[in-house]
Amino acid sequence: MDKSGAAGGNGRVVAAERPDQIRNVVLVGHSGSGKTTLVEAMALTTGTVNRAGRVEDGTSLSDYDEIEHRQHRSVQLSVVPLAWDGLKINLLDTPGYADFVGELRAGLRAADAALFVISAAEGSEGVSGATRALWEECAAVGMPRAIVITHLDTARADYDEMTETCRAVLGGGSSENILPLHLPVYGPKNPDGHRPVTGLIELLPNCVVDYSTGECVAGAPSPEQQSMLEEARNRLIEGIIAESEDETLMERYLEGEEIELATLVADLERAVARGSFHPVLFGAPAPEGAKQGLGTVELLDLISGGFPTPSEHVVSAVRASNGAAAHPLTCDPNGELAAEVIRTASDPYVGRVSLVRVFSGTLRADDTVHVCGHGQEDRGHESHDVDERVGAVSTPFGKGQRPLGQAIAGDIAYVTKLSRAETGDTLSGTGAPLLIEPWQMPDPLLPIAITAHSKADEDKLSQSLARLAAEDPAVRLEHNSHTRQLVLWCLGEAHRDVALERLRTRFGVQVDVIEHEVALRETFAGKANGRGRHVKQSGGHGQYAVCEIEVEPLPGGSGIEFVDKVVGGVVPRQFIPSVEKGVRAQALRGVATGNPLVDVRVTLFDGKAHSVDSSDAAFQTAGALALREAANAAGIALLEPLAEVWVLVSDDYVGPTLSDLSSRRGRVLGTEPHGTGRTRIHAEVPELELSRYAIDLRSLSHGTGDFTRSYTRHEPMPTQLSAALRAKKQS
């Protein structure tokens, strides 16, 4: 079967002329599931690459950049366009590692359907909790989905078992909408004991496609194969009829009537496009000499016939000027321009390169567009509204691009020279700019405190961090005013390593990672008095100020109260604000560990002044000295921040998660079921114990756990821990 005419067998992808000629498909699956291999197999089938996986200029579709080679994993979204049956299919290959879920969410926004790629070699563990969560996320927005099972050539692989696992875990109580479209055919056993896949049985056409000779040969099933496929075929037909809009089909089927193949295929494709039926297919390596991988023709046919066109992907927008609702966006090349930046990269030769999904209108080279981005200030992305001129427009192709000239509604393209555009920004016309609500990004919960390695690095650090944030909206930059640290918040260790590597290799900035500090506070352990005496005489005007204060602790959240109880004018009225200013300045600096002093009442009740030598500065100094003396008398208690934490884990890991929270001095406030097979845990945990929780929870829950945190209040730290921290500060 050869439907790759639009690609011409040489890697040249023809630009789509209408949105209905485009399919945008995101590949979802954990690391090692075989997504990239599947993309290359489909590229081979369409003639986009040769047997060596190379396009006509020798470039590989999977050419990783320098960082990805060092990480030994894909860390960014890549787009591979294929031509099949007169259509342009944009495959969005996403990273499988949890730390790069930001790239995955970008792929989900840009795509109109999803292929869940699951490895049969991992058995039931192949459908992880993270995969199930993503399946539910796609279901919530009605995204059509299909399942592709890979690695059938491994010894542990079992297609039937893996299909049943997918139906049980992802079925959501209706497993009859997750059914295989074809079955594998196995050849003789190899010396290592396992049987390679040599073909497939197509259930609806009731035929066998054999690849054992390297050529695609279709034929009728043998009697043995016929008996094996009968049950699976009947079940598939019943599943399709159950989703059909023709209510007479089931009655005709139950009466024994043979339903026409064309009717079944049409109903199947409509059900897949609606997102109500999820076919299971498989992909296997091409046999020696074959021009295509096993199952790839069937998969491409499903994408072209069953997956929706871009016209069915609805995205809303508002007017950037006042937030008023705009007209609903329609996938019309002649409509109002509305596009979204789904990934940003820096090229050493052409500068910033933006990967854009066009939802409405047509984006042309050299057009002037409005770049708009709002609401990401907390992540280091300042709001901006600016007009910029588009440079070249090209289609992604491996790690390079091919000139495109323009990108119509529904297409995905690279654009250059948008120096202000960041991931998540909206591109629209300049007359009445639009703003598309950005997709929800995960909250980065792993703090990394950094400092410039040298003065030269310090000069470039600010600009480099801004460029890093523009490329990766999953990172968050924080300049902590309490600890005076520059903190880079990441999703995990791998995400951290990639961010630091990008700073070093791409932006030429070397940083040092230092210990992250939590913003502690001090308060008085009890009531105490303090006397501040600042007397100096060095010729001319001297300095003279004496004040006496009483300090007592207050309930949490009270801040600093200053009370004036001076009588008889022992401290002149004009210097009482000076004492308060000195007390508050010292409280901000801290009196024991360098952390701010809070929740105390300071009462000024006595003092002395000199008619000539007293001054504002002298009484400020005296107030600070009095506060320090009172602190020495009363003793200081350290307060640590407490976080409210919500942890979502699979039911299998609730016990270990509760034990781990207890070991972190956490107080569990309750648990509740959340969907099918998952539990939500509510707890309060000291923030000192959460610095590595993003890493530890992922390990503890085998990648199925997730959590959110928010500051709630400060509480006294245990005495032993407080003493250890104070000793560390003084050492």
Side-chain angles (χ1 to χ4, degrees):
M1 185 182 299
D2 183 11
K3 298 185 180 183
S4 59
N10 58 11
R12 290 191 298 270
V13 174
V14 178
E17 297 178 354
R18 305 187 311 273
D20 60 8
Q21 295 176 323
I22 300 171
R23 301 292 185 273
N24 297 310
V25 182
V26 61
L27 281 80
V28 178
H30 64 73
S31 184
S33 61
K35 299 186 299 299
T36 301
T37 302
L38 181 63
V39 169
E40 292 175 345
M42 286 191 279
L44 174 64
T45 299
T46 60
T48 305
V49 299
N50 57 28
R51 286 284 303 179
R54 300 278 168 176
V55 297
E56 60 181 346
D57 62 1
T59 305
S60 170
L61 289 180
S62 60
D63 277 345
Y64 296 118
D65 64 19
E66 184 181 355
I67 293 176
E68 289 176 310
H69 273 299
R70 280 195 289 270
Q71 288 284 320
H72 302 292
R73 59 168 68 94
S74 174
V75 303
Q76 60 188 15
L77 173 72
S78 63
V79 182
V80 176
L82 308 176
W84 182 256
D85 201 17
L87 303 178
K88 179 182 181 181
I89 300 175
N90 291 316
L91 298 178
L92 294 95
D93 187 6
T94 62
Y97 200 67
D99 278 12
F100 307 105
V101 67
E103 298 281 327
L104 170 61
R105 291 185 188 274
L108 291 175
R109 169 58 71 91
D112 307 309
L115 288 177
F116 278 72
V117 183
I118 295 172
S119 172
E122 300 183 32
S124 60
E125 295 180 0
V127 189
S128 65
T131 301
R132 180 174 60 188
L134 284 170
W135 181 272
E136 293 173 357
E137 187 175 324
C138 291
V141 297
M143 177 173 281
R145 285 146 286 151
I147 298 168
V148 182
I149 297 176
T150 59
H151 298 158
L152 288 176
D153 55 333
T154 58
R156 293 175 52 195
D158 188 316
Y159 181 72
D160 294 334
E161 178 185 334
M162 199 69 249
T163 301
E164 290 302 313
T165 298
C166 292
R167 294 176 60 227
V169 176
L170 306 177
S174 177
S175 58
E176 296 308 312
N177 64 358
I178 299 179
L179 294 168
L181 292 187
H182 51 233
L183 304 176
V185 174
Y186 296 96
K189 285 187 178 181
N190 286 338
D192 59 7
H194 81 276
R195 300 169 64 190
V197 180
T198 59
L200 57 89
I201 301 173
E202 292 209 62
L203 295 179
L204 287 182
N206 197 17
C207 68
V208 176
V209 181
D210 181 44
Y211 289 87
S212 59
T213 63
E215 296 292 332
C216 175
V217 180
S222 67
E224 180 184 357
Q225 291 171 332
Q226 185 65 44
S227 62
M228 178 182 67
L229 69 86
E230 199 65 40
E231 180 182 353
R233 184 173 189 271
N234 291 337
R235 193 173 185 179
L236 174 60
I237 292 173
E238 291 169 7
I240 294 172
I241 291 175
E243 298 294 337
S244 174
E245 297 175 351
D246 186 350
E247 298 179 357
T248 67
L249 279 186
M250 182 59 75
E251 183 179 347
R252 291 167 53 195
Y253 176 74
L254 293 176
E255 291 176 353
E257 181 179 340
E258 184 72 23
I259 307 300
E260 300 85 354
L261 176 62
T263 299
L264 291 173
V265 170
D267 279 340
L268 168 68
E269 291 178 345
R270 281 192 289 268
V272 170
R274 288 197 308 269
S276 60
F277 189 86
H278 314 293
V280 181
L281 304 92
F282 72 82
E288 188 67 31
K291 297 180 180 178
Q292 57 203 33
L294 272 71
T296 53
V297 168
E298 292 72 19
L299 179 54
L300 288 163
D301 283 345
L302 174 71
I303 291 172
S304 61
F307 279 176
T309 68
S311 302
E312 299 172 56
H313 189 158
V314 179
V315 173
S316 60
V318 298
R319 292 297 173 194
S321 57
N322 55 17
H327 295 294
L329 295 179
T330 58
C331 192
D332 180 5
N334 298 315
E336 190 174 12
L337 176 64
E340 190 170 25
V341 180
I342 58 174
R343 188 166 72 82
T344 308
S346 296
D347 187 281
Y349 302 106
V350 299
R352 186 170 293 185
V353 180
S354 303
L355 184 63
V356 173
R357 162 72 194 255
V358 183
F359 290 102
S360 174
T362 299
L363 183 64
R364 298 178 177 86
D366 298 324
D367 275 357
T368 299
V369 299
H370 186 81
V371 180
C372 182
H374 292 165
Q376 297 284 321
E377 290 88 348
D378 61 331
R379 293 177 180 266
H381 306 262
E382 62 180 22
S383 295
H384 50 274
D385 291 275
V386 63
D387 290 345
E388 291 196 277
R389 187 176 181 181
V390 174
V393 177
S394 58
T395 189
F397 213 83
K399 294 302 175 182
Q401 294 95 43
R402 297 289 189 272
L404 193 60
Q406 67 178 28
I408 65 169
D411 208 353
I412 298 172
Y414 276 123
V415 297
T416 61
K417 296 187 178 180
L418 297 179
S419 61
R420 293 293 301 278
E422 300 181 356
T423 302
D425 284 359
T426 303
L427 309 182
S428 60
T430 57
L434 296 172
L435 177 64
I436 299 173
E437 183 69 23
W439 59 89
Q440 185 179 1
M441 294 297 297
D443 193 16
L445 296 168
L446 178 65
I448 311 297
I450 60 174
T451 184
H453 182 72
S454 67
K455 181 64 171 66
D457 294 316
E458 186 175 349
D459 293 339
K460 296 186 293 183
L461 183 57
S462 179
Q463 182 180 5
S464 298
L465 287 173
R467 293 172 64 188
L468 177 67
E471 290 191 10
D472 187 358
V475 302
R476 177 162 58 90
L477 304 177
E478 176 192 7
H479 293 82
N480 193 302
S481 59
H482 295 293
T483 63
R484 298 177 180 83
Q485 285 188 321
L486 177 60
V487 182
L488 190 66
W489 289 84
C490 302
L491 295 172
E493 286 182 303
H495 190 211
R496 173 202 63 190
D497 293 343
V498 168
L500 297 179
E501 188 75 0
R502 281 177 176 162
L503 284 174
R504 185 180 68 84
T505 60
R506 190 170 296 173
F507 306 133
V509 175
Q510 184 77 33
V511 297
D512 297 324
V513 176
I514 59 177
E515 182 179 0
H516 174 249
E517 297 179 9
V518 172
L520 304 177
R521 295 175 184 170
E522 302 173 347
T523 193
F524 271 50
K527 184 185 292 188
N529 288 359
R531 186 170 190 266
R533 183 175 184 275
H534 183 62
V535 179
K536 289 188 177 181
Q537 188 68 44
S538 57
H541 282 296
Q543 299 181 49
Y544 188 96
V546 178
C547 64
E548 296 194 30
I549 61 173
E550 179 187 73
V551 186
E552 57 185 318
L554 294 177
S558 300
I560 302 289
E561 288 186 18
F562 185 85
V563 179
D564 171 21
K565 285 191 177 181
V566 173
V567 294
V570 291
V571 176
R573 307 308 301 171
Q574 69 268 28
F575 294 134
I576 290 176
S578 303
V579 176
E580 180 180 0
K581 188 174 181 181
V583 166
R584 291 188 180 277
Q586 184 64 56
L588 189 61
R589 295 191 297 268
V591 293
T593 61
N595 295 293
L597 177 73
V598 296
D599 303 334
V600 293
R601 178 184 291 123
V602 179
T603 302
L604 174 64
F605 63 88
D606 201 0
K608 293 180 182 180
H610 188 277
S611 59
V612 176
D613 293 340
S614 291
S615 64
D616 170 65
F619 271 99
Q620 285 191 45
T621 303
L625 291 171
L627 186 64
R628 292 208 296 266
E629 183 177 284
N632 290 333
I636 290 298
L638 282 181
L639 303 176
E640 61 179 340
L642 202 66
E644 183 181 34
V645 176
W646 291 91
V647 186
L648 186 62
V649 292
S650 170
D651 290 345
D652 297 336
Y653 304 108
V654 171
T657 302
L658 292 173
S659 298
D660 181 69
L661 288 172
S662 297
S663 71
R664 297 174 186 272
R665 301 186 286 126
R667 292 193 295 269
V668 177
L669 304 179
T671 62
E672 59 186 35
H674 186 85
T676 304
R678 291 194 290 173
T679 297
R680 201 165 180 237
I681 302 170
H682 185 203
E684 290 182 340
V685 186
E687 289 193 7
L688 280 169
E689 306 289 345
L690 292 176
S691 291
R692 285 183 50 86
Y693 193 56
I695 301 169
D696 297 338
L697 177 63
R698 185 176 297 164
S699 175
L700 179 71
S701 63
H702 292 208
T704 65
D706 193 10
F707 80 104
T708 61
R709 62 190 282 182
S710 59
Y711 168 78
T712 177
R713 63 186 180 278
H714 273 70
E715 278 195 352
M717 183 183 295
T719 305
Q720 185 176 2
L721 184 57
S722 174
L725 280 176
R726 293 180 67 175
K728 184 178 179 181
K729 282 276 188 181
Q730 294 168 1
S731 62

